[in-house]
Amino acid sequence: MKIIVDKSIADLGKKSIVIAIAKNVNPAAKLSDAFLEKQKKMEEWALNCDAEEAAKHPVNQGYIDSITAVGRSTKKNPPTAVALIQNIKRRGSMPNINSIVDIYNVESLHSFLAIGGHDFDKIEDEICFTVSKKEDVFYPILAPEKYVAETDYVYKDKKGIMAWIDVRDGENYKFDENTKNAIFIIQGNANTSVEMRLDALERIRKDMAECMPDMEFSTHVITYGDENTEI
């Protein structure tokens, strides 16, 4: 699969994209007791967390800077981890989606990183990281279609937009009961090193390996200027 990092996204400070591919995954796998204990601790932390204080963390501030730089409201579009904390507080508990999503949601709370998760086999030909440069339409998971401005940053394949400004993933690429292969994408921001993002993916790998012993997991760092990188 070809990976393209456009100059427009590099100019926003997103020059290195960190990616992991997990093969032979099982969204219905039984989560390990160790992970469930970690998940419970993160749930309790989120329930007692001040979301406004969490938003001041350097990682979340980096996302806030990226979102405001393209003219979007962070009140309407808070960083992923802040939105997840708010969701947990409203619900009174951590959402349980499937084993894969539950694992990277816990990591997002742990590191505050926005982690895109997609069914690898639903992606067509390439992934391009770019500012949209045109008005477009995005179909978020379990939400109405969203207007995309010329200045919004996205990543997309040949069919459509996979993720929008690091806050929403696309409906047409989500995990389902038939998912066999997954891709995780961390664009990061000015306050997130490549090493920090690789560490997050390693924690995801360990949690998945505990309940998916046949999984194969590889990581890749794609940097602007590495034209037509294949993974």
Side-chain angles (χ1 to χ4, degrees):
M1 178 178 291
K2 184 187 296 184
I3 306 295
I4 301 166
V5 181
D6 189 76
K7 182 178 183 297
S8 60
I9 202 81
D11 288 345
L12 286 176
K14 301 176 187 294
K15 296 180 180 177
S16 293
I17 312 297
V18 176
I19 293 173
I21 297 173
K23 297 181 178 179
N24 304 320
V25 301
N26 177 10
K30 186 178 185 296
L31 292 163
S32 70
D33 290 341
F35 174 78
L36 291 173
E37 182 178 351
K38 179 165 67 171
Q39 184 186 47
K40 187 64 177 176
K41 287 180 179 177
M42 290 310 303
E43 177 185 77
E44 292 171 356
W45 173 83
L47 287 169
N48 292 289
C49 174
D50 184 329
E52 291 186 3
E53 284 300 312
K56 296 176 183 177
H57 187 279
V59 171
N60 285 322
Q61 279 296 307
Y63 286 117
I64 288 169
D65 292 344
S66 294
I67 294 165
T68 56
V70 296
R72 287 293 186 174
S73 164
T74 54
K75 184 174 182 179
K76 293 181 179 178
N77 306 290
T80 296
V82 175
L84 182 54
I85 291 167
Q86 293 169 341
N87 184 24
I88 292 168
K89 285 179 170 292
R90 283 194 300 270
R91 294 167 51 93
S93 63
M94 179 83 81
N96 293 300
I97 311 300
N98 60 53
S99 298
I100 302 173
V101 176
D102 292 355
I103 285 170
Y104 75 76
N105 273 347
V106 166
E107 177 54 39
S108 186
L109 289 177
H110 175 84
S111 61
F112 291 148
L113 289 167
I115 304 166
H118 315 277
D119 186 317
F120 184 82
D121 298 313
K122 294 179 179 177
I123 302 168
E124 186 174 321
D125 293 338
E126 68 181 34
I127 305 175
C128 179
F129 297 84
T130 184
V131 169
S132 182
K133 303 177 186 176
K134 65 177 183 179
E135 294 183 340
D136 209 336
V137 177
F138 171 58
Y139 300 94
I141 294 175
L142 296 177
E145 66 181 49
K146 181 175 286 292
Y147 164 76
V148 178
E150 294 179 2
T151 50
D152 290 344
Y153 59 93
V154 301
Y155 56 86
K156 58 187 180 178
D157 72 349
K158 291 289 190 181
K159 296 182 297 184
I161 296 172
M162 297 171 59
W164 177 76
I165 64 165
D166 269 332
V167 299
R168 297 301 296 265
D169 284 351
E171 173 73 22
N172 296 328
Y173 307 89
K174 70 180 182 182
F175 302 121
D176 58 37
E177 66 275 9
N178 298 313
T179 295
K180 301 299 182 188
N181 302 297
I183 184 168
F184 303 102
I185 295 172
I186 311 180
Q187 294 188 93
N189 58 59
N191 298 335
T192 66
S193 67
V194 167
E195 290 73 21
M196 176 191 298
R197 287 175 277 159
L198 287 171
D199 286 346
L201 291 173
E202 174 60 14
R203 287 188 290 271
I204 289 172
R205 184 198 67 78
K206 287 180 177 178
D207 287 336
M208 291 179 69
E210 288 179 350
C211 61
M212 305 175 201
D214 295 329
M215 180 191 67
E216 300 173 14
F217 197 96
S218 62
T219 56
H220 311 265
V221 179
I222 313 300
T223 301
Y224 171 65
D226 296 342
E227 295 299 330
N228 300 328
T229 300
E230 296 279 345
I231 60 172

